[in-house]
Amino acid sequence: MGEHDTVQVRLRAALRAHDPWTALYILNKDRPSGLAEAVEELYRSDTDRGAFRPHLAWFLRGLGGTGDEVLLRLFAEPAFVADDRQDLLKAAVARRLRLPAELLRAYAEGEQFPASGGSDARADGPPAPELVDAMGLSGDLSFAPRLAALLGLPAARGRAALALGRLGAREWTAPIAGRLSEVTGLEHTAFTVALELMGDPTAVPYLLRWLTESGEERVHDVHHALVRLTGRDPLLPERVSGAAYAAAVRAAWADGRTERAPVVVRDVAVESDAWARFSVDGGAGRIRIAFDPPSPGSSWPRWDRSLTFDGKPLYRVGSFCDTCELGLTLLDWPDREATRIAARMRGRLARLDRIDTALLAEWSPVLGELETGHYRALLLDLPLERVSAPARSWWYRRAAARAKDDGDDFAYDGDRPEDYWPGVSHFQLTAPVPGGRVPCTYGAVLPSQPPEALDPAAVARHAAAISAGERPAAVVLGWIDDRYVEARHEERWLVGAVLDGHHRLAAYAAAGVPARVLLLARVGEVGGADGGLEGLAEVAAAYSCRRD
């Protein structure tokens, strides 16, 4: 039996398994060569397509570039009926593929323009949601009038607004902004996100006017859009919500100012040698956690977030859903400018044993590069280890421990340590934080430059200094993330990204000495949970730097 036949046999076995979705997931993890071609062959077979069509289209989504090529070829095949092509279009949209405009026009004609509920064509019905999404991904502005005609149709208007935003069809900025009073909930979020995608400042007067009239539940969307479109990010009171939050937002924009003001680091208060607070007003936001562009096909216009440097995503942080599992994924390394920014803090890091107001004043230009918000500065001695094996990482070990507590077979669905791995070796606490209210508080500190780029000689120099009793400090931007996973497991994370001090942390980990870390943590929004300050207090109680 040849290699091609072997792949076909394995693919058919997975499709006929008791749980084909899990079997396909496991097969994809193994990824034998020729897998995408085997899927295409089965899809072109009337018998196999009839039996496995939804599974095959779904499976192509996970095969990367080779799967994309097959999707494009199959979607261009005129012989397939509407149901076949609809599944392929859904898969192509999920992959954010730019389909040729002529193919989308052909799809939209006659029987191949199905209503949103399925394959039964209705001339007077709304277009299928996946077609609206595909038009927005096409890059072809000729679709804009057709999409704009859907803005008044409740069944399609949120998707249509996002599609226009993805196209950058700015002639429809005013019609979208002018309809904000007609939409609520996720549709209102979709309209404001569409304006953000447009990047068109002509929306700002509409947003300012609507801010004074809208209900408090819609204020956050409008404020977020105003910040994105103007670059002005005014400081709001710490940890306000509901009516108080809405009043603070309206007050911040009441004078109609949209130009950015100079960054101010204010409200500096040193409460102990190892704990201080400060606020950044009008922060440059060069280092921040930001919402990702909405995923086509998702019902949530704001969902996933990423840690970004100068707008370039470094790590995907995931959603703010507090019953979802936290997982970080490396996306790309920042430009060297990020390192140069952090290096401006290096002067006093060689022998840092206390926080004082002079230190924070000296670093104000660098602190101003952060996003607007309220921060805590903690000087910690963290017991860190460097972890390069996925099975040793807390990202995997915490999931395995939860499954054991539940009496589950953790490997039942094909999960492997690599499936939880953030994609890069990193530092982590050697044990969960002791004494916390939440049963397990884990800690992970992730790099902002490739670990393989570290200079062994620099690590050795720091190791020698540490052995001699010196305690050079690293600077970490972090936050507390609270979760109630699956509404069953309370879980808390101290998460950080290294701003400066990769070599120092590597030296500490190699020496087995707790690492001196200056943690800068934004409170109130980043973790999306009420436990932020509580978690920081528990970390400080366990690991605060004590002067001899």
Side-chain angles (χ1 to χ4, degrees), residues 270 272-276 353-357 359-360 377-379 518:
V270 175
S272 72
D273 287 345
W275 179 284
D353 61 0
R354 64 190 297 267
I355 299 174
D356 55 43
T357 53
L359 176 76
L360 296 176
L378 285 70
L379 189 60
L518 178 64

Side-chain angles (χ1 to χ4, degrees), residues 110-187:
E111 292 296 316
Q112 293 185 356
F113 193 176
S116 58
S119 60
D120 295 329
R122 278 182 19 205
D124 59 343
E130 62 271 8
L131 179 57
V132 176
D133 294 332
M135 288 177 174
L137 292 167
S138 70
D140 192 321
L141 286 170
S142 69
F143 288 122
R146 187 168 195 167
L147 293 168
L150 302 174
L151 292 175
L153 190 63
R157 58 191 177 191
R159 255 189 169 85
L162 289 171
L164 288 165
R166 292 188 183 100
L167 283 175
R170 289 189 170 188
E171 65 271 29
W172 302 103
T173 296
I176 292 173
R179 288 181 176 270
L180 285 171
S181 61
E182 302 173 13
V183 289
T184 59
L186 291 177
E187 282 189 336

